[in-house]
Amino acid sequence: MDVREAAPAVVTGGSRGIGRAVVERLAAYGAPVVFGYATERARAEEVVEAVRAAGGSAWAVRADLAEPDGVDRLFAGADEHLGGRLGVLVNNAAVTGRTAFADASAEEFDRVLAVNARAALLAMQHAERRMAGGGRIVNISSVSTAWPAADEALYAASKGALEQLSRVASRALGPRGITVNTVSPGTTDTDLLRDAVPAEAREAVAGMTPLGRLGRPEDVAAVVAYLAGPDAAWVTGQNIRADGGLV
């Protein structure tokens, strides 16, 4: 078993892209998984059906993490399905907040930081209270903290905050046997990327990547599964760049 004793897991933002790949990977290893989604109910139901068709267990909980009580709602739903038990938390939910530097507003700053950093902090606090005898927390950041685009001020700032929260949490939760790590994907081929980035730009990034292609959601999910498993018991406070060597 690759995932830590098939421990119950919570994944934020699990209805599409990297989040969906993480849900499916953990469930394939036998972990019962609760995942959150903000608005796309049909997509969330598709994930649940796919996991169950493959013999796994998954439940979707609607929780908009931009709202003050979004994290509370997610974990209330998780407790209902998992009985208050938790072994793995993956903080994946994020909003991009791409805007010109000069146009970034206080309201947009608050929204992006609320989803990408505040919600992760609150989720880690919830997870700590439910993890007995150790646990695994994996936070999904981005190579944008090392190589930001000109319109990524808010996104890069929020992910930078998440990375520092992860480092501090690894020290705070380590005495309880809980590991906390970060995975920073590079440009990953998701429907969200295809909607936002023209084909020629995607091809240009693939050409700059030593491995010669864009990342796939499954590439990132594999790293998350490693960090959630027993082989990573001595790994904490780390930031692994799953970017094909781009940065």
Side-chain angles (χ1 to χ4, degrees):
M1 185 65 65
D2 289 340
V3 174
R4 184 178 175 269
E5 299 178 358
V10 168
V11 179
T12 69
S15 65
R16 62 192 301 181
I18 291 171
R20 174 172 183 163
V22 169
V23 170
E24 292 177 341
R25 178 65 68 100
L26 297 182
Y29 289 141
V33 183
V34 169
F35 67 91
Y37 70 97
T39 59
E40 297 184 325
R41 180 176 178 179
R43 282 182 177 269
E45 291 175 348
E46 286 177 10
V47 177
V48 171
E49 291 173 4
V51 167
R52 293 179 180 175
S57 300
W59 300 267
V61 175
R62 185 191 176 282
D64 186 345
L65 302 187
E67 298 175 358
D69 63 345
V71 175
D72 292 339
R73 288 205 307 273
L74 173 60
F75 277 87
D79 288 343
E80 179 181 347
H81 297 296
L82 302 177
R85 299 176 302 123
L86 189 64
V88 177
L89 167 67
V90 181
N91 278 310
N92 170 73
V95 292
T96 58
R98 299 178 76 98
T99 186
F101 184 84
D103 296 332
S105 66
E107 292 77 16
E108 184 70 357
F109 180 92
D110 289 344
R111 185 181 74 90
V112 174
L113 268 291
V115 175
N116 296 3
R118 183 190 70 189
L121 169 63
L122 298 178
M124 287 191 283
Q125 291 172 340
H126 273 280
E128 178 190 14
R129 295 194 289 268
R130 290 162 173 80
M131 289 178 169
R136 303 281 190 267
I137 296 175
V138 184
N139 295 321
I140 307 300
S141 183
S142 169
V143 295
S144 292
T145 59
W147 190 35
D151 62 352
E152 290 185 324
L154 303 184
Y155 182 70
S158 69
K159 290 300 189 178
L162 177 63
E163 290 176 9
Q164 293 304 315
L165 286 170
S166 297
R167 294 181 65 191
V168 173
S170 72
R171 294 178 177 272
L173 306 185
R176 294 197 52 216
I178 299 171
T179 66
V180 185
N181 291 287
T182 303
V183 177
S184 291
T187 306
T188 305
D189 193 6
T190 63
D191 56 353
L192 188 63
L193 178 76
R194 289 176 176 272
D195 290 342
V197 179
E200 59 271 19
R202 299 196 303 269
E203 292 171 3
V205 173
M208 289 187 287
T209 302
L211 292 182
R213 63 172 175 84
L214 298 179
R216 304 184 185 102
E218 295 77 15
D219 296 326
V220 182
V223 180
V224 173
Y226 162 70
L227 292 172
D231 290 344
W234 193 236
V235 179
T236 195
Q238 303 304 306
N239 185 354
I240 299 177
R241 288 186 178 138
D243 67 352
L246 180 62
V247 175

